Amino acid sequence: MSPVKVFGPAKSTCVARVLICLEEVGAEYELVHVHIPAGEQKSPAHVARNPFGQVPAFEDGDLVLFESRAISKYVLRKHASDLLKESSVTESTMVDVWLDVESQKFDPIMSIIAFQCFIVPIFMGGTPDHKIVEESLEKLKDIFEVYEARLSKFKYLAGDFISLADLSHSPMLHYLLATPHAPVLSRYPHVKSWISGIMDRPSVKKITELMKAS
Amino acid sequence: MAPAAVKVYGWAMSPFVARALLCLEEAGVEYELVPMSRQAGDHLQPDFLARNPFAQVPVLEDGDLTLFESRAIARHVLRKHKPELLVGDGSPEAAAMVDVWLEVEAHQHHAPTAAIMVQCILAPLLGGARDQAVIDENVPKLKKVLEVYEARLSKTKYLAGESVSLADLSHFPMLRYFMETEYKALVEELPHVKAWWEELKVRPAARKVKEFMPVDFGLGKKVDQ
């Protein structure tokens, strides 16, 4: 069976999400770089794989997928991973709920913070807009308040079991921890402890190293 | 008569609440809609926050399970009652295609469609004026997204393949309102997208849910006396 292919730079949180899932299930994969600064994601070759001209794209034989959370679910299902809990209606539903919280609430706010703190200075030669960062941090705190209450009752977001809902946060958490704003977490001890646990997983450690190195 | 095991909390004209109701209707599940008032701030009350700490509608209660996030609710209802709308023929490939186009709705289609709809319909209803700059920023974005849909729907009957799925249904609530604006032309100028929309809107479940979704969001016209 030939290895699956992931197209995109490891530094992209959406690419990293997929790579972490592949590592979790121990699948063989090939990472094919896509050079964003050169606009390679808009090239005809890449758009043929991801019609929205974004990363990642994914190939498993003839199957071509895009959208990182859809790819992640496919990978986890294919290898019968327990991270989706699809054998239980109740548990799989809670995974879906908190994966949507990650996708619809956490990720958009973190994207703004990561854009200001990393993309603007590194790729655009500018300085972070502190007003935007502060506004976003306030929203992030509101989200973390909810997480703190949740994680005071359960070990992980979907319940007392780790799931894709938790792991899906890890690429953006890697960037949050690399900003000067990480100390905001000290107000949320359960969140902080939850983050440490996730970032300590071998799959996450391996991919965050790759994100730093590439 | 025993109370329904499934309860939906929210105002039905919300496209998010409507998404949940649409799935319940498609699956033929008996449910009770517990009406809430946005104006009265029902979603900010402690008893509601105990159900959804993010203070948003809808919430679904199914026996002991309480859930929020309309797309997660949609998946739950169909997984339990009509899984073929979520996983197709059950093959990993079929389920993956439904997931892909569900993500596309959430990450590509929703934002520009909602932005235009809010400016055209909701802003005036709430006593403000439409912000044409927001519309002008989002029209080209939505155009590009719909071009991808046109290419896809030229190859397959529905977004995830030859059978209808949640990926298609998930678009109905926001489009129901968007298609009342002058920007419906963006859909109507694309023959396959137009045909796909025409089919979606005549589904019995869609027709039923539309009854709860007046184009004025129940806000009515303010009459100057």
Side-chain angles (χ1 to χ4, degrees):
Chain A
M1 184 178 285
S2 51
V4 301
K5 289 185 180 171
V6 181
F7 298 83
K11 274 185 139 61
S12 150
T13 55
C14 295
V15 173
R17 178 174 292 114
V18 173
L19 299 181
I20 286 166
C21 290
L22 287 163
E23 290 290 336
E24 281 284 331
V25 300
E28 267 200 64
Y29 64 92
E30 187 190 332
L31 178 61
V32 180
H33 189 67
V34 173
H35 198 56
I36 306 290
E40 195 184 343
Q41 73 278 23
K42 307 292 180 194
S43 70
H46 189 79
V47 169
R49 297 183 181 105
N50 181 334
F52 295 97
Q54 293 174 337
V55 292
F58 173 89
E59 280 177 3
D60 184 1
D62 289 333
L63 182 67
V64 181
L65 302 176
F66 49 95
E67 293 295 336
S68 66
R69 293 169 191 83
I71 299 168
S72 296
K73 288 180 184 182
Y74 170 80
V75 166
L76 294 175
R77 265 183 216 130
K78 185 181 171 185
H79 295 268
S81 163
D82 211 26
L83 290 168
L84 293 176
K85 293 289 190 200
E86 287 188 326
S87 53
S88 159
V89 169
T90 311
E91 292 179 342
S92 58
T93 286
M94 294 319 295
V95 175
D96 283 342
V97 167
W98 289 93
L99 187 55
D100 268 11
V101 170
E102 180 273 317
S103 166
Q104 297 292 316
K105 295 183 163 50
F106 176 79
D107 191 75
I109 300 299
M110 275 307 314
S111 292
I112 295 170
I113 294 170
F115 182 81
Q116 291 299 326
C117 293
F118 298 106
I119 308 286
V120 165
I122 297 173
F123 291 98
M124 295 165 68
T127 46
D129 183 324
H130 289 289
K131 186 162 177 272
I132 293 178
V133 173
E134 284 309 313
E135 278 170 10
S136 300
L137 281 170
E138 286 308 306
K139 291 179 185 168
L140 186 63
K141 285 179 198 168
D142 289 341
I143 293 169
F144 278 156
E145 291 234 13
V146 176
Y147 280 40
E148 182 66 16
R150 177 72 182 173
L151 294 165
S152 306
K153 288 196 292 208
F154 297 98
K155 216 168 163 229
Y156 298 98
L157 288 174
D160 287 322
F161 52 90
I162 194 167
S163 75
L164 178 62
D166 308 287
L167 291 180
S168 198
H169 290 74
S170 54
M172 274 301 181
L173 287 173
H174 166 71
Y175 283 118
L176 177 62
L177 293 171
T179 69
H181 309 292
V184 74
L185 293 169
S186 57
R187 304 167 75 166
Y188 312 104
H190 290 88
V191 173
K192 197 170 176 200
S193 161
W194 166 75
I195 291 175
S196 300
I198 295 172
M199 302 315 281
D200 223 31
R201 279 180 87 81
S203 64
V204 176
K205 277 173 124 152
K206 184 170 176 191
I207 298 307
T208 52
E209 282 310 309
L210 189 62
M211 291 166 84
K212 282 188 255 188
S214 58
Chain B
M1 187 169 157
V6 175
K7 288 185 182 170
V8 178
Y9 293 77
W11 38 89
M13 64 286 288
S14 151
F16 305 101
V17 176
R19 177 178 283 124
L21 300 182
L22 181 65
C23 291
L24 289 162
E25 292 290 339
E26 285 280 344
V29 174
E30 266 203 52
Y31 64 94
E32 180 194 337
L33 175 62
V34 179
M36 287 173 58
S37 164
R38 190 173 198 276
Q39 286 94 298
D42 288 348
H43 52 306
L44 304 169
Q45 299 308 314
D47 63 337
F48 187 75
L49 292 175
R51 296 183 165 99
N52 184 355
F54 293 104
Q56 291 176 326
V57 295
V59 159
L60 183 119
E61 281 178 355
D62 184 0
D64 287 335
L65 202 53
T66 299
L67 43 149
F68 48 89
E69 293 296 331
S70 67
R71 295 175 185 87
I73 291 172
R75 284 176 176 276
H76 168 77
V77 169
L78 296 179
R79 182 180 292 119
K80 205 171 161 183
H81 300 284
K82 209 158 189 187
E84 63 267 31
L85 289 178
L86 202 48
V87 299
D89 62 13
S91 65
E93 296 76 22
M97 292 318 297
V98 177
D99 284 341
V100 165
W101 288 92
L102 276 170
E103 293 293 309
V104 168
E105 182 278 319
H107 295 291
Q108 314 288 351
H109 186 270
H110 176 81
T113 310
I116 294 167
M117 186 283 278
V118 163
Q119 291 309 318
C120 289
I121 298 180
L122 268 180
L125 280 171
L126 294 172
R130 68 157 69 172
D131 186 339
Q132 192 62 41
V134 170
I135 296 175
D136 293 342
E137 193 192 317
N138 281 280
V139 162
K141 288 180 183 172
L142 183 54
K143 255 189 115 135
K144 281 186 97 168
V145 167
L146 290 177
E147 278 163 17
V148 176
Y149 279 50
E150 180 65 16
R152 174 65 179 171
L153 293 165
S154 308
K155 288 195 286 209
T156 55
K157 188 156 194 252
Y158 297 96
L159 289 172
E162 293 308 310
S163 306
V164 75
S165 75
L166 178 60
D168 309 287
L169 300 177
S170 201
H171 290 77
F172 174 77
M174 194 54 78
L175 279 174
R176 178 269 173 278
Y177 290 115
F178 177 83
M179 292 305 287
E180 301 280 347
T181 75
E182 70 252 43
Y183 296 94
K184 64 182 178 175
L186 293 174
V187 165
E188 290 177 340
E189 67 196 12
L190 299 167
H192 293 87
V193 178
K194 182 182 180 186
W196 168 79
W197 164 246
E198 295 292 329
E199 254 214 52
L200 260 185
K201 76 179 197 190
V202 299
R203 292 179 73 85
R207 285 187 145 144
K208 176 86 194 281
V209 169
K210 189 183 171 184
E211 288 170 24
F212 309 135
M213 302 170 77
V215 72
D216 67 357
F217 278 84
L219 291 168
K221 277 198 175 146
K222 289 188 188 342
V223 178
D224 290 324
Q225 295 291 339

